[in-house]
Amino acid sequence: QRRVFAATVLGRICDHVKKTRSSMVQLFAHMDSDGSGNLDMLELQEALRCIGQELNEMEVKEVISELGTGHESLSPHQFLDKLREYEKERERDSEKCARLFAQFDADGSGELDPQEVYKLSLEMGLGALLDDDTSELTLDKLIANIESARDDDEETEDGGDAEESDGLVSFDELLRWYLTDGRSYLPP
């Protein structure tokens, strides 16, 4: 679960870099508000708050622990290496999701219906959770979870928030879910 949490934070940082078209080096320099050459916990917490990721002190420690060398700060080298590593991992995950999506979109509609999501979940190792009567995870909950893993600023065509479930899963929804919450469901 900890690895998933740090990956989610890295994803938010990478998304911010893309949205603002700034470089990772520029972002680090901006985040290093005291000019020390390292990001301490407070600087990282404030920088993440600015991009919409509210973390408490314990969560920031967890992220730095995952990304760093056991110190309570990150060097530019550590920070940039982890961001680049995450981007490569996200590219691989995107390709994997694209293959899986194509494999299970049996009708070629560009969306997975509940039966197709169920087959995909079996391939991803979630079948035992879905088939276990004691599990809180149901197919409907899984689909709703996948559909709710939208970008924070994503809106529907009519300008409202994109929260209503249509019971179908698009590739973008599957990918965002997998890159955020989805990994936490997968067996180790």
Side-chain angles (χ1 to χ4, degrees), residues 84-138:
R84 289 182 187 114
E85 181 183 306
Y86 175 79
E87 278 292 298
K88 288 179 186 173
E89 185 178 320
R90 188 155 70 167
E91 175 93 14
R92 286 189 301 271
D93 287 345
S94 179
E95 291 169 4
K96 178 181 179 179
C97 278
R99 284 191 305 272
L100 284 170
F101 190 89
Q103 177 183 346
F104 289 98
D105 182 17
D107 60 5
S109 67
E111 295 180 309
L112 301 179
D113 64 33
Q115 184 178 17
E116 293 166 332
V117 172
Y118 180 74
K119 290 177 183 175
L120 172 69
S121 70
L122 294 177
E123 178 73 19
M124 295 177 77
L126 296 173
L129 278 175
L130 291 174
D131 293 336
D132 182 355
D133 292 337
T134 63
S135 171
E136 291 184 25
L137 185 64
T138 64

Side-chain angles (χ1 to χ4, degrees), residues 63-75 77-78 82:
V63 170
I64 287 180
S65 172
E66 172 67 30
L67 303 180
T69 61
H71 298 94
E72 291 193 354
S73 66
L74 293 170
S75 71
H77 179 73
Q78 293 166 319
K82 287 296 182 176

Side-chain angles (χ1 to χ4, degrees), residues 7-63:
T8 300
V9 170
L10 285 174
R12 295 284 259 169
I13 293 170
C14 291
D15 290 345
H16 177 74
V17 167
K18 286 180 183 174
K19 283 180 184 177
T20 62
R21 296 182 183 218
S22 60
S23 73
M24 291 180 191
V25 174
Q26 289 170 320
L27 178 63
F28 184 89
H30 179 74
M31 292 169 74
D32 181 19
S33 59
D34 66 4
S36 67
N38 288 311
L39 289 181
D40 63 32
M41 288 186 353
L42 291 175
E43 289 171 323
L44 182 59
Q45 186 175 28
E46 181 56 32
L48 292 172
R49 184 178 295 118
C50 289
I51 62 171
Q53 186 77 41
E54 294 281 338
L55 301 180
N56 64 39
E57 186 177 327
M58 183 66 97
E59 292 168 329
V60 174
K61 280 183 180 182
E62 199 173 301
V63 170

